[in-house]
Amino acid sequence: MFARLVYESFRRQKRRKLLAGAAITLGVTVATAMIAVATDIGDKINRELRTIGANILVTPQEDTLDVEIGGVNLKPPSDGAFLNEADLPKIKGTFWHNNITGFAPMLPVTVTLQRDGKSENLTLLGTYFAKSVSFGKEEFKTGVRITHPWWKVSGSWPDDGSRDVLLGERLAAKLSAKPGDEVALSGRTLRVSGILSTGSVEDDQVVAPIALAQEILGKPGAVRRVYVSALTKPEDALARRDPKSMSGPIYDRWYCSPYPQSIAFQLQEAIPHSHAEQIRQVAQNEGAVLTRIEGLIFLVTLAALFASALAVSAAMATAIFERRAEVGLMKALGAGRFAVASIFFAEAMLLALVGGFVGFAAGGLLARQIGRSIFNSEIAISPVLFPVILAIAVIVTFAGSAAAIRNAVRLDPVFALRGEL
Amino acid sequence: MNAGGLHPMERHSARGVAAGRAQSPHTSMFVRMLVRAAVLRRGRAVSALFAMVVAAAVATAMLNLYIDVQAKLRREFRNYGANIILAGRDGASLPADALSHVESVVAGRGLVAPFGLLVARTSDGQPIVVAGTDFERVRQIDRWWSVSQWPSAPQQALVGVRAVSVVSPRNQPFDLSFQGHTIHLTSAGTVQTGAAEDSRVYLSLPDFVLWTGVQPSTIEVAATGSPEEIAAIMHQLQEAIPVAEVRPVRQIMEGEARVLGKTRATLLAAAALIILTAALCVLSTLMGWVFDRRRDFAIMKALGASDRLLNSFFAAEAAALGATGAVIGFVLGIGIAAWIGRVNFHAPVVPRFGVLPLVLAGSILVTLLSAILPISLLRRVQPAVILRGE
């Protein structure tokens, strides 16, 4: 009898059930999409923040002081220590290798430019553009095109295996050189594949594949410094502590959190004779920006959850209120309060489950769409959330119906049947 | 919220709708019907009003946040330091009055810090980069500098962490020389940034100029504002100091633009979803309320009310509800936005009164829609059928 009542109620009142179900579905859709966006926004914004540049710098441990003004190195180029290029792929072997989006080694050397019979000293910066590097079975591309996305080239980027170079835009203007021209540097004739614009000191320099710089310096495999771009977690009190003073479990927690400090520490472990440090301008501020944006989206998600809970409650309350006459009839036929309430709750439960299921699927699609159109990457909803969302849908539907059901079962059947309140 | 509180608003709005029928004896009856309808069915009127207030509050808060988030995040991004750099061409010094010119151009729209750079020698002949600057300004503009102790007296230097071992390994006073002139310095503290600053020694600008006779060659500017405003400041700077080269710090500007754009887009999507949900909540509550009063409708019709009168009655009621809900919701929404601003950005979100007409119009539109829909359904039904309760 109970099952038949519920079944018939769905069969005969398709329009009303559809309306209430639609409200629940919409509410769950919005809630699911917002939760998915909120859980993923940190990672997405973190990746966007990487466009500001590398946040960790690796230098040789016993390096002498940099004597550099405006990108011009004033100390003898062979002075000081170097890192070994062969050690660099180990960066991808660290614990947080998935958080490292890219790295670019740099080797500045001084070259002489012959022009109009005069010779002029210039800086040639050797680096990776988009070099394929392999570590173990893993193959990945890395270089300045990933770590320094604000570098713009008119013409084409040189190939990492070639002997082509980029000229900084101010230097190119001085030499009135175009892509495709040739320049004579330190007795070598090199082809200019493009003109580089960075808005910084590189505009006065020549940028070349690192092998060329190593050849000019006469030190194969030498690297002066490595810029590493890593996805990090905003710094907190634990991050700032000195790892040497930590006890076992706290050290493990520090080591296994992607703080700029702990990633730098691991890079130092991976690359022999190196010193890795966060570039504070980038690392410190991105933590602050990230915290603000995550906080904002979290609060907005709360607002979305509240609004969808309210919408579901309103729809349920209206749906039940419209069925007072039915309640009156049931009661006149001798149904108890409990029997009436349980029918309504069973209906609400059914609606919530169906609405929750459809809403979860729709919300996942919506989140994907938001991810694609705003961030050009997917926002995936974790299936772990499914039971949580379903439970929330059922609870909210029950809570929304409770007041209306209580009013309905309290009604005097006589008034209800006469249509009076 | 009781019906008494609704009173003046309802009357006011009803007057607006009934203006065309001014002087008509029906006016007072019209208003009385409106008010009594709300008073007698207080429960349902209050729940409809509540839905409207919540929807308007959420919409106001989201729109306010959407407008304000840009300014709030730009402020966060200014902690990245300078976004404009003024430098003498080919490393030449800037004119002595350059700083005051830059100050007058920027005038409250950002922070300014001068830097002079040159290579000096330590007492054992090692080259080292020495910079002269204004410590008070650097503290403001380069907030990421981790400094153990800022210099406070003349002839005190701030030593980069990597330079410490070269100039003053035991924290003793040290000498630096430049073109035959020597300066005697004590180390006030160390600076760590993870970048070039770590291998430099910083002096106060008066000490630097007195010692070397060299004026600053670089002025860093952290300008606030939209990309257009910053471009305008750059243009003005170039005009004020034609000998300097003015260039943007592209990595900061581009990163900022990207992150701001994506955050705003996400917020807009969230706002659209939330407002849609809230509007639907109002729609379903209000439609239920109007549907519920089909008896009133039928009686009025049976007593000879014209369709026009009935429409304007329900429309006036809906508009009054929408307007009241919008105004209360607006105040509430401003409060929510201010709270979110305080909690998240540690600065209140400025109320935007430009949002009010938008919220008001949206609310009235939704309420009118949710009144008109059931009415147009009911109009086709004979009053007798409704009154018999079928």
Side-chain angles (χ1 to χ4, degrees):
Chain A
M1 184 64 196
F2 181 81
R4 231 177 77 199
L5 267 173
V6 174
Y7 171 73
E8 289 293 318
S9 147
F10 273 84
R11 200 175 65 87
R12 287 171 196 260
Q13 299 181 318
K14 282 204 189 93
R15 189 187 59 87
R16 276 183 195 165
K17 289 293 182 296
L18 221 61
L19 273 178
I24 294 173
T25 307
L26 182 87
V28 174
T29 304
V30 169
T32 309
M34 281 310 296
I35 288 174
V37 170
T39 47
D40 222 22
I41 188 90
D43 185 60
K44 293 282 181 281
I45 294 291
N46 214 330
R47 281 177 198 277
E48 296 299 330
L49 280 168
R50 299 283 74 255
T51 56
I52 290 178
N55 45 7
I56 296 172
L57 179 64
V58 187
T59 50
Q61 201 174 21
E62 30 321 88
D63 199 7
T64 51
L65 277 190
D66 287 328
V67 188
E68 220 179 76
I69 294 180
V72 181
N73 200 344
L74 300 161
K75 75 179 173 183
S78 54
D79 198 22
F82 295 96
L83 295 169
N84 190 352
E85 193 187 344
D87 291 328
L88 299 189
K90 291 180 189 161
I91 289 175
K92 277 285 186 178
T94 57
F95 182 74
W96 283 111
H97 61 100
N98 284 329
N99 280 38
I100 292 171
T101 56
F103 62 86
M106 299 276 177
L107 178 66
V109 296
T110 309
V111 289
T112 49
L113 171 78
Q114 298 289 340
R115 186 165 63 120
D116 310 332
K118 282 183 293 178
S119 68
E120 202 178 318
N121 275 345
L122 282 180
T123 303
L124 179 141
L125 184 68
T127 188
Y128 288 173
F129 297 104
K131 192 179 168 81
S132 285
V133 180
S134 56
F135 180 78
K137 279 186 219 107
E138 206 184 345
E139 180 103 0
F140 53 94
K141 270 197 187 305
T142 186
V144 286
R145 296 182 69 175
I146 292 157
T147 55
H148 295 61
W150 68 96
W151 285 19
K152 301 272 163 12
V153 166
S154 64
S156 62
W157 288 89
D159 192 75
D160 279 293
S162 72
R163 295 170 67 85
D164 294 349
V165 297
L166 294 174
L167 290 188
E169 62 177 357
R170 265 187 303 226
L171 178 66
K174 215 157 64 181
L175 306 178
S176 50
K178 305 181 298 298
D181 288 359
E182 292 192 328
V183 285
L185 291 172
S186 295
R188 293 166 178 80
T189 305
L190 305 168
R191 200 180 72 90
V192 178
S193 75
I195 307 298
L196 173 72
S197 156
T198 70
S200 179
V201 293
E202 295 83 8
D203 285 351
D204 288 313
Q205 300 179 348
V206 182
V207 180
I210 198 161
L212 189 62
Q214 288 162 347
E215 181 196 309
I216 292 170
L217 189 65
K219 288 194 184 219
V223 169
R224 177 68 79 184
R225 51 179 167 254
V226 184
Y227 286 94
V228 181
S229 196
L231 302 175
T232 60
K233 181 178 163 180
E235 196 178 281
D236 52 25
L238 175 65
R240 279 187 282 270
R241 284 178 56 178
D242 180 12
K244 286 190 205 92
S245 71
M246 290 179 195
S247 64
I250 296 181
Y251 175 80
D252 287 345
R253 196 152 70 80
W254 179 83
Y255 193 88
C256 299
S257 304
Y259 296 125
Q261 285 92 335
S262 51
I263 294 182
F265 184 79
Q266 289 163 19
L267 290 173
Q268 212 165 298
E269 285 179 335
I271 304 172
H273 311 297
S274 70
H275 173 81
E277 200 171 329
Q278 56 167 322
I279 300 174
R280 292 181 61 90
Q281 179 182 14
V282 181
Q284 295 283 309
N285 291 319
E286 74 190 359
V289 170
L290 205 61
T291 314
R292 298 282 178 267
I293 295 178
E294 277 183 328
L296 178 69
I297 300 295
F298 173 73
L299 290 172
V300 167
T301 304
L302 282 188
L305 291 181
F306 179 67
S308 38
L310 221 66
V312 171
S313 314
M316 288 309 290
T318 308
I320 291 167
F321 201 78
E322 279 175 7
R323 293 170 59 192
R324 274 163 308 168
E326 221 178 295
V327 177
L329 187 63
M330 283 193 253
K331 287 185 83 172
L333 290 176
R337 285 183 179 194
F338 180 76
V340 175
S342 56
I343 285 179
F344 279 116
F345 275 121
E347 286 187 25
M349 175 87 154
L350 219 63
L351 275 176
L353 287 180
V354 174
F357 188 78
V358 179
F360 184 79
L365 284 178
L366 188 61
R368 252 167 73 129
Q369 207 50 47
I370 290 176
R372 270 216 200 122
S373 56
I374 297 178
F375 297 103
N376 293 325
S377 64
E378 307 265 295
I379 289 181
I381 180 122
S382 132
V384 181
L385 277 176
F386 180 62
V388 179
I389 296 275
L390 219 54
I392 293 178
V394 172
I395 291 170
V396 167
T397 313
F398 271 22
S401 330
I405 292 178
R406 210 186 56 191
N407 281 337
V409 298
R410 272 199 191 151
L411 268 183
D412 192 321
V414 179
F415 291 123
L417 284 174
R418 262 172 49 203
E420 284 167 15
L421 246 174
Chain B
M1 193 69 251
N2 63 30
L6 286 174
H7 210 112
M9 294 303 299
E10 298 236 351
R11 185 176 297 218
H12 181 77
S13 252
R15 279 222 181 108
V17 172
R21 313 182 317 135
Q23 312 302 321
S24 136
H26 291 149
T27 310
S28 70
M29 182 65 192
F30 189 84
V31 172
R32 240 170 76 194
M33 271 162 58
L34 272 182
V35 175
R36 296 297 286 174
V39 173
L40 281 178
R41 307 215 174 204
R42 209 173 305 149
R44 299 227 72 189
V46 166
S47 77
L49 184 67
F50 175 70
M52 191 61 245
V53 167
V54 169
V58 170
T60 306
M62 287 308 296
L63 289 175
N64 248 301
L65 276 180
Y66 174 69
I67 295 171
D68 219 46
V69 72
Q70 194 144 320
K72 290 280 172 293
L73 282 178
R74 281 214 180 100
R75 232 185 36 159
E76 297 294 329
F77 269 95
R78 283 294 57 77
N79 290 337
Y80 274 104
N83 49 8
I84 302 173
I85 289 183
L86 248 94
R89 284 182 209 279
D90 296 319
S93 292
L94 292 166
D97 58 353
L99 184 63
S100 57
H101 277 303
V102 172
E103 290 256 275
S104 63
V105 168
V106 174
R109 288 181 292 173
L111 300 164
V112 177
F115 289 93
L117 285 174
L118 48 79
V119 178
R121 296 211 171 254
T122 60
S123 45
D124 51 6
Q126 281 224 51
I128 188 163
V129 177
V130 180
T133 188
D134 183 327
F135 290 118
E136 274 312 308
R137 293 169 189 266
V138 168
R139 273 177 99 144
Q140 300 293 320
I141 199 169
D142 293 336
R143 288 162 176 271
W144 65 89
W145 283 26
S146 164
V147 171
S148 60
Q149 169 91 51
W150 287 92
S152 50
Q155 312 231 317
Q156 280 193 342
L158 190 60
V159 185
V161 282
R162 293 178 60 192
V164 170
S165 61
V166 176
V167 296
S168 172
R170 290 182 307 281
N171 204 18
Q172 77 276 35
F174 57 95
D175 289 324
L176 293 175
S177 60
F178 174 74
Q179 292 181 347
H181 304 280
T182 305
I183 189 170
H184 186 73
L185 295 165
T186 52
S187 160
T190 58
V191 54
Q192 181 169 25
T193 69
E197 290 84 358
D198 287 1
S199 16
R200 294 179 182 164
V201 174
Y202 281 83
L203 314 179
S204 73
L205 205 51
D207 286 346
F208 182 84
V209 174
L210 200 68
W211 167 41
T212 62
V214 175
Q215 289 292 330
S217 55
T218 312
I219 296 177
E220 294 190 356
V221 181
T224 49
S226 64
E228 296 77 37
E229 285 165 346
I230 290 171
I233 291 178
M234 281 176 62
H235 186 72
Q236 289 165 359
L237 286 174
Q238 188 67 76
E239 282 193 337
I241 308 156
V243 295
E245 192 174 18
V246 181
R247 56 167 196 259
V249 181
R250 261 195 6 220
Q251 60 188 108
I252 305 289
M253 302 253 267
E254 284 183 15
E256 178 178 334
R258 277 183 79 123
V259 172
L260 280 186
K262 309 261 149 153
T263 308
R264 282 195 97 196
T266 311
L267 210 56
L268 186 66
L273 287 179
I274 293 175
I275 292 173
L276 178 77
T277 319
L280 267 149
C281 170
V282 171
L283 206 72
S284 72
T285 314
L286 227 71
M287 268 168 71
W289 186 36
V290 174
F291 226 64
D292 212 45
R293 287 168 53 202
R294 51 184 181 270
R295 274 164 182 278
D296 303 4
F297 179 86
I299 289 175
M300 285 190 230
K301 214 172 166 181
L303 288 177
S306 66
D307 271 357
R308 220 182 110 222
L309 180 69
L310 277 175
N311 279 346
S312 59
F313 174 72
F314 278 95
E317 195 178 74
L321 186 77
T324 316
V327 171
I328 301 173
F330 180 77
V331 175
L332 214 65
I334 293 279
I336 297 173
W339 178 76
I340 290 186
R342 270 245 311 281
V343 167
N344 197 44
F345 295 105
H346 308 292
V349 172
V350 191
R352 307 274 161 170
F353 290 97
V355 171
L356 182 58
L358 212 67
V359 173
L360 204 62
S363 304
I364 293 178
L365 192 76
V366 171
T367 44
L368 278 182
L369 196 71
S370 44
I372 304 271
L373 275 177
I375 293 299
S376 60
L377 278 177
L378 288 177
R379 234 191 2 223
R380 281 187 239 124
V381 187
Q382 282 291 318
V385 176
I386 298 175
L387 284 172
R388 259 173 34 214
E390 283 170 13

